[in-house]
Amino acid sequence: AFGVMAFCCNIFALGRRLVSLTKCTTIKTLRNTSFVSLICLGDLLVGSYLLGVATTDLYYSDSYCMRQREWLVTSSCVVLGVVSTSGTHISIFSMTILSIIRVSTVLGPMEGSRSISRKRIAILISKSCFVVILSMALAVAPIIDAFEDFFVNGMHYDPKIRLFIGFPDKRKLIDIIEAYHGRMQKKTLSWKVLNKMVDAMFSQEHVSFAEYRKKLHFYGNDGVCMFKFFVKMSDPQNHFVWGVLALNVICIVTIAISYTIITIVSKKSSDTLGDRFKKRHKKTQWKITLLIATNVICWGPFIIACMLHSIEVMDASQWYSLFSMIILPINSVINPFLYDEVLLEKLKSAISWLITMICVKRKDDEDVPAEEAPNIVGPKPLEAPRQSVKGNGEADLRPNIHAPEDEKREGDSAENEIQVINQVESSDLSPLRQEEAAIEVTYQL
């Protein structure tokens, strides 16, 4: 369910933002729309990862236990891990940069209203490329052959060779080679050297097993092919993993501090500008609170579990599925509704429709006499909504969720959004009010 929601909602939001990019007239709207598009792209990749894992689960079905070793060493598992890691970091890095841009605009001079130029576009493209390249580098580094001594966790050999069961790591292979040769100098050997020594143990008629040998990569530590966050102090990738975790913590803290400052400044402004802006401030504050809360809920328990696993207080390996399929994707599901007002309105309409239908169904069930209930073969058709008359004499049908004018307004929402932003920036409002209005319309906060 999370995978379908994350994929569909983010692909819809990404499409709307890409259309909006062509209508931006100031660097402020272009920056906001660009980084929100990157957030949607990252969350879309996470949704694709969830769908990929779900599809694999359906494919293997009941035979997964017998074919687990086969799956963990496949290139498909590696691709899923790269997609998940890239998407997660594209999203969180984009959210961090966007929060910094917004808080600097609120506290500093209003430079965002300047027109678009080639130089400013080049700077924006460089920032966007930096986010994507850094995210991809963190995801691809563990599968580069030059770093295999740090990230390869074991080898998988031909099941016909009973000498190597499961995924023997370096320590197990060294013990086997030492027993074969009688003695061996105790030192750390590379995977390349170990593989040559293992090949030398067998005659040419068993050469096929060397071709079958496959690496247990960094993402093959669990069936969900997730980034190996749960590491122990003895793992060679320990420093890399904790470096990535520390970077994520810095991003989350930066986001929380930035939006807290924006909330404080917005509250001071709303107190001096009247009730209209107080209502807008409450809406902004609610969305900011939800944004910060989802980041804390996603990463807080996860980082604590990583710490406890690292110091060997507990074994958190069994929680990979819980964190990868439910906890961490929460951001990817909620972000589209925070950054896209049309999606939020559609969600509200769907919930309202669902509640109305449940109430109508319950009302119809209550109207059926008890003695007639056993004679009912199937469910009773729902009655049409009752017609009421408004004070001006016009008929009112409830519920009327999808009115034609609402659909037209939603279709033109992307164009209207840019027009409203441009009107705000050309108005006589104070710089602080211009920024708050831009935040409300473009960033939906």
Side-chain angles (χ1 to χ4, degrees), residues 27 36 50 76 95 102 115 200 210 252 332 337 353 355 379 410 424:
I27 192 63
V36 172
L50 294 175
S76 299
M95 291 171 64
R102 292 200 167 278
S115 60
I252 295 170
S332 300
F337 299 103
W353 176 84
I355 293 175
E410 290 178 358
V424 168

Side-chain angles (χ1 to χ4, degrees), residues 53-115:
V53 173
T55 303
T56 302
D57 182 64
L58 291 176
Y59 175 76
Y60 283 99
S61 187
D62 297 334
S63 63
Y64 174 74
C65 291
M66 294 184 294
R67 303 174 65 183
Q68 180 185 24
R69 297 173 183 173
E70 173 187 338
W71 162 247
L72 294 179
V73 296
T74 59
S75 57
S76 299
C77 181
V78 175
V79 170
L80 285 177
V82 171
V83 169
S84 171
T85 305
S86 301
T88 299
H89 290 97
I90 288 175
S91 179
I92 194 170
F93 291 160
S94 300
M95 291 171 64
T96 304
I97 294 179
L98 188 57
S99 66
I100 294 174
I101 291 174
R102 292 200 167 278
V103 73
S104 62
T105 306
V106 170
L107 297 178
M110 292 294 295
E111 298 181 356
S113 59
R114 295 180 178 179
S115 60

Side-chain angles (χ1 to χ4, degrees), residues 1 13 27 48 56 59 71 202 229 243 253 257 269 300 303 377 389 395 440:
I27 192 63
S48 302
T56 302
Y59 175 76
W71 162 247
F202 296 88
F229 283 109
V253 172
I257 294 175
S269 176
I303 292 174
V377 177
V389 180
E440 178 66 25

Side-chain angles (χ1 to χ4, degrees), residues 255-257 259-260 287-297:
I255 293 171
I257 294 175
Y259 284 112
T260 301
K287 288 188 176 181
I288 289 175
T289 302
L290 185 59
L291 189 150
I292 296 174
T294 53
N295 279 281
V296 173
I297 291 173

Side-chain angles (χ1 to χ4, degrees), residues 152-169:
V152 172
N153 298 310
M155 290 288 175
H156 181 52
Y157 296 90
D158 191 336
K160 297 178 182 179
I161 308 299
R162 301 292 182 179
L163 190 60
F164 307 108
I165 300 175
F167 302 103
D169 56 12

Side-chain angles (χ1 to χ4, degrees), residues 72 77-82 85-86 138-143 151 153 216-228:
L72 294 179
C77 181
V78 175
V79 170
L80 285 177
V82 171
T85 305
S86 301
L138 294 176
V140 174
I143 62 173
F151 296 108
N153 298 310
L216 181 63
H217 279 288
F218 183 74
Y219 296 106
N221 60 93
D222 191 82
V224 294
C225 304
M226 186 182 176
F227 188 95
K228 189 180 177 181

Side-chain angles (χ1 to χ4, degrees), residues 2 50 298 320-331 333:
F2 272 13
L50 294 175
C298 289
Y320 267 116
S321 299
L322 174 65
F323 282 109
S324 65
M325 304 300 293
I326 299 178
I327 304 299
L328 291 182
I330 289 178
N331 265 347
V333 175

Side-chain angles (χ1 to χ4, degrees), residues 128-159:
S128 302
C129 291
F130 172 76
V131 169
V132 175
I133 293 174
L134 178 60
S135 302
M136 290 296 297
L138 294 176
V140 174
I143 62 173
I144 297 177
D145 290 339
F147 304 141
E148 65 178 7
D149 289 324
F150 296 99
F151 296 108
V152 172
N153 298 310
M155 290 288 175
H156 181 52
Y157 296 90
D158 191 336

